[in-house]
Amino acid sequence: MSASAASLLPRVRDLSALRDAVSGFRRKGLRIGFVPTMGALHDGHLALVRHAKTLSDVVVVSVFVNPKQFAPHEDFDRYPRTEDKDAQLLESVGADLLYLPSVDLMYPAVFASSVHVEGPARELEGTFRPQFFDGVATVVMKLFNQVQPDVAVFGEKDYQQLQVVKTFVRDLDLPVNVVGMPTVREADGLALSSRNAYLSPDERQTAARLIVELNAVAEAVRSGGDREKALNTAKTNLLAAGFGPVDYVELRDADTLAVADAQTPNLRLLAAAWLGKTRLIDNIAV
Ligand code: AMP
């Protein structure tokens, strides 16, 4: 285990050091909370860590940009990597251990297994990023087996991911409690995201239209308006504001993510749209 000059937060990079630390926690009878991330941390991530602190005695945070959830044309290489700043932020919110596995550690040259997920993984992001949720499920399964947390906290920002993780944890009987946290937003409503760093100043201003349009659809649905019309208006308005393409704006069953109908009790509105070279996703309860 090593501490850097910049931050006193212990960082571990290999599995045996992680296992030593975790078994130390376990010997003391401590309850372990876990927050998996890809780094470039912001207040959304820190809210998850703060919440994990309230649910456990020690909080382990992982930073791993997972190549298996990026398609070859996606932004794996340019994804922001800010380890020292991340460590400082994590220390400031009381995280106990930062786990930074390498790609080689996670996926050695001989690696022949993966977790395949269906159900809530099948459409929406699953349509536009076909390898994505198997990549997420595989890395989350590995991280859970490595860290062996009692509780793991995920953000509703990635609502479909949260439902996918809850589903495979339940289906495969993993002994971890998966907890979701509401999305942390900027003052103008834009959901915090590491990818917002890609936006030009103009795009950053336009980006806030996404939540404005989602709120308008939610309001129309709540007041009994025509759902198809509201969804189409949102897509048209996003295109007119400078988004494009709009991958989807859809109303779904909040638990299963199946297509919603008039009888669906709990609705979730989910969207993904491109702004220049950046793909933004967001979602809200209806
Ligand atoms: P990422 O680093 O993007 O993989 O995200 C790591 C975790 O942080 C995931 O559970 C995300 O859903 C969560 N997260 C990312 N952005 C936000 C946000 N704005 N509010 C709440 N949680 C977030």
Short mmCIF file of all heavy atoms in Angstrom, two decimals, residues 221-244:
data_model
loop_
_atom_site.label_atom_id
_atom_site.label_comp_id
_atom_site.label_asym_id
_atom_site.label_seq_id
_atom_site.Cartn_x
_atom_site.Cartn_y
_atom_site.Cartn_z
N VAL A 221 -46.74 14.20 -19.64
CA VAL A 221 -47.24 12.86 -19.31
C VAL A 221 -48.03 12.90 -18.01
O VAL A 221 -49.13 12.34 -17.90
CB VAL A 221 -46.07 11.85 -19.22
CG1 VAL A 221 -46.56 10.51 -18.69
CG2 VAL A 221 -45.40 11.69 -20.58
N ARG A 222 -47.48 13.62 -17.02
CA ARG A 222 -48.17 13.70 -15.72
C ARG A 222 -49.54 14.36 -15.85
O ARG A 222 -50.47 14.01 -15.13
CB ARG A 222 -47.33 14.50 -14.72
CG ARG A 222 -46.16 13.71 -14.16
CD ARG A 222 -45.44 14.50 -13.07
NE ARG A 222 -44.06 14.07 -12.98
CZ ARG A 222 -43.00 14.83 -13.25
NH1 ARG A 222 -43.15 16.11 -13.58
NH2 ARG A 222 -41.79 14.33 -13.15
N SER A 223 -49.63 15.32 -16.76
CA SER A 223 -50.92 16.01 -16.88
C SER A 223 -51.82 15.35 -17.94
O SER A 223 -52.79 15.93 -18.39
CB SER A 223 -50.72 17.50 -17.18
OG SER A 223 -49.95 17.63 -18.34
N GLY A 224 -51.46 14.10 -18.31
CA GLY A 224 -52.35 13.31 -19.16
C GLY A 224 -52.27 13.66 -20.64
O GLY A 224 -53.15 13.29 -21.42
N GLY A 225 -51.21 14.34 -21.05
CA GLY A 225 -51.07 14.74 -22.45
C GLY A 225 -50.73 13.55 -23.35
O GLY A 225 -50.49 12.43 -22.88
N ASP A 226 -50.69 13.79 -24.65
CA ASP A 226 -50.38 12.76 -25.64
C ASP A 226 -48.88 12.42 -25.54
O ASP A 226 -48.03 13.26 -25.80
CB ASP A 226 -50.74 13.31 -27.04
CG ASP A 226 -50.48 12.30 -28.14
OD1 ASP A 226 -49.52 11.49 -28.02
OD2 ASP A 226 -51.22 12.32 -29.13
N ARG A 227 -48.60 11.17 -25.17
CA ARG A 227 -47.19 10.79 -24.90
C ARG A 227 -46.33 10.84 -26.15
O ARG A 227 -45.21 11.36 -26.12
CB ARG A 227 -47.14 9.38 -24.29
CG ARG A 227 -47.78 9.34 -22.91
CD ARG A 227 -47.74 7.94 -22.33
NE ARG A 227 -48.23 7.96 -20.97
CZ ARG A 227 -48.16 6.93 -20.14
NH1 ARG A 227 -47.62 5.80 -20.54
NH2 ARG A 227 -48.62 7.02 -18.91
N GLU A 228 -46.84 10.25 -27.24
CA GLU A 228 -46.05 10.23 -28.48
C GLU A 228 -45.72 11.64 -28.94
O GLU A 228 -44.61 11.93 -29.36
CB GLU A 228 -46.83 9.49 -29.59
CG GLU A 228 -46.64 7.99 -29.59
CD GLU A 228 -45.19 7.54 -29.39
OE1 GLU A 228 -44.33 7.95 -30.18
OE2 GLU A 228 -44.92 6.79 -28.44
N LYS A 229 -46.73 12.51 -28.84
CA LYS A 229 -46.54 13.89 -29.29
C LYS A 229 -45.47 14.57 -28.43
O LYS A 229 -44.58 15.26 -28.94
CB LYS A 229 -47.88 14.63 -29.19
CG LYS A 229 -47.85 15.97 -29.84
CD LYS A 229 -49.29 16.53 -29.98
CE LYS A 229 -49.18 18.04 -30.07
NZ LYS A 229 -50.21 18.73 -29.33
N ALA A 230 -45.54 14.35 -27.13
CA ALA A 230 -44.57 14.99 -26.22
C ALA A 230 -43.15 14.49 -26.52
O ALA A 230 -42.19 15.28 -26.56
CB ALA A 230 -44.95 14.71 -24.78
N LEU A 231 -43.02 13.18 -26.78
CA LEU A 231 -41.69 12.62 -27.07
C LEU A 231 -41.15 13.17 -28.39
O LEU A 231 -39.97 13.53 -28.50
CB LEU A 231 -41.76 11.09 -27.12
CG LEU A 231 -42.06 10.40 -25.78
CD1 LEU A 231 -42.44 8.94 -25.99
CD2 LEU A 231 -40.86 10.50 -24.83
N ASN A 232 -42.04 13.26 -29.39
CA ASN A 232 -41.61 13.79 -30.70
C ASN A 232 -41.23 15.27 -30.61
O ASN A 232 -40.26 15.70 -31.24
CB ASN A 232 -42.70 13.57 -31.75
CG ASN A 232 -42.73 12.11 -32.18
OD1 ASN A 232 -41.71 11.42 -32.13
ND2 ASN A 232 -43.90 11.63 -32.56
N THR A 233 -41.99 16.03 -29.83
CA THR A 233 -41.67 17.45 -29.66
C THR A 233 -40.28 17.60 -29.03
O THR A 233 -39.47 18.43 -29.45
CB THR A 233 -42.73 18.13 -28.76
OG1 THR A 233 -43.99 17.95 -29.37
CG2 THR A 233 -42.45 19.62 -28.58
N ALA A 234 -40.00 16.77 -28.02
CA ALA A 234 -38.69 16.84 -27.36
C ALA A 234 -37.58 16.57 -28.36
O ALA A 234 -36.57 17.29 -28.41
CB ALA A 234 -38.63 15.85 -26.20
N LYS A 235 -37.76 15.54 -29.19
CA LYS A 235 -36.71 15.20 -30.17
C LYS A 235 -36.53 16.35 -31.17
O LYS A 235 -35.40 16.73 -31.48
CB LYS A 235 -37.08 13.91 -30.92
CG LYS A 235 -36.90 12.66 -30.06
CD LYS A 235 -37.27 11.41 -30.86
CE LYS A 235 -38.08 10.46 -30.01
NZ LYS A 235 -38.76 9.41 -30.71
N THR A 236 -37.64 16.89 -31.65
CA THR A 236 -37.57 18.00 -32.60
C THR A 236 -36.87 19.20 -31.97
O THR A 236 -36.02 19.85 -32.61
CB THR A 236 -39.01 18.40 -33.04
OG1 THR A 236 -39.67 17.22 -33.49
CG2 THR A 236 -39.00 19.43 -34.14
N ASN A 237 -37.22 19.51 -30.74
CA ASN A 237 -36.61 20.67 -30.06
C ASN A 237 -35.12 20.46 -29.84
O ASN A 237 -34.33 21.40 -29.95
CB ASN A 237 -37.30 20.93 -28.72
CG ASN A 237 -38.71 21.47 -28.91
OD1 ASN A 237 -39.09 21.84 -30.02
ND2 ASN A 237 -39.47 21.51 -27.82
N LEU A 238 -34.74 19.23 -29.51
CA LEU A 238 -33.30 18.96 -29.30
C LEU A 238 -32.54 19.14 -30.61
O LEU A 238 -31.46 19.76 -30.64
CB LEU A 238 -33.09 17.55 -28.74
CG LEU A 238 -33.52 17.37 -27.28
CD1 LEU A 238 -33.48 15.90 -26.87
CD2 LEU A 238 -32.61 18.20 -26.34
N LEU A 239 -33.09 18.63 -31.69
CA LEU A 239 -32.43 18.79 -33.00
C LEU A 239 -32.33 20.27 -33.35
O LEU A 239 -31.28 20.74 -33.81
CB LEU A 239 -33.19 18.02 -34.08
CG LEU A 239 -33.12 16.48 -33.96
CD1 LEU A 239 -34.11 15.82 -34.92
CD2 LEU A 239 -31.69 15.98 -34.22
N ALA A 240 -33.40 21.02 -33.09
CA ALA A 240 -33.40 22.45 -33.43
C ALA A 240 -32.38 23.21 -32.57
O ALA A 240 -31.78 24.19 -33.01
CB ALA A 240 -34.80 23.03 -33.22
N ALA A 241 -32.15 22.72 -31.34
CA ALA A 241 -31.20 23.40 -30.44
C ALA A 241 -29.75 23.10 -30.82
O ALA A 241 -28.83 23.75 -30.30
CB ALA A 241 -31.47 22.97 -29.00
N GLY A 242 -29.53 22.09 -31.67
CA GLY A 242 -28.15 21.80 -32.09
C GLY A 242 -27.69 20.40 -31.75
O GLY A 242 -26.56 20.00 -32.05
N PHE A 243 -28.56 19.61 -31.08
CA PHE A 243 -28.22 18.20 -30.84
C PHE A 243 -28.39 17.42 -32.15
O PHE A 243 -29.17 17.82 -33.02
CB PHE A 243 -29.17 17.59 -29.81
CG PHE A 243 -28.89 17.96 -28.39
CD1 PHE A 243 -29.39 19.14 -27.85
CD2 PHE A 243 -28.12 17.14 -27.58
CE1 PHE A 243 -29.15 19.47 -26.53
CE2 PHE A 243 -27.87 17.47 -26.26
CZ PHE A 243 -28.38 18.64 -25.74
N GLY A 244 -27.70 16.32 -32.26
CA GLY A 244 -27.94 15.44 -33.39
C GLY A 244 -26.81 14.46 -33.60
O GLY A 244 -25.66 14.86 -33.45
#
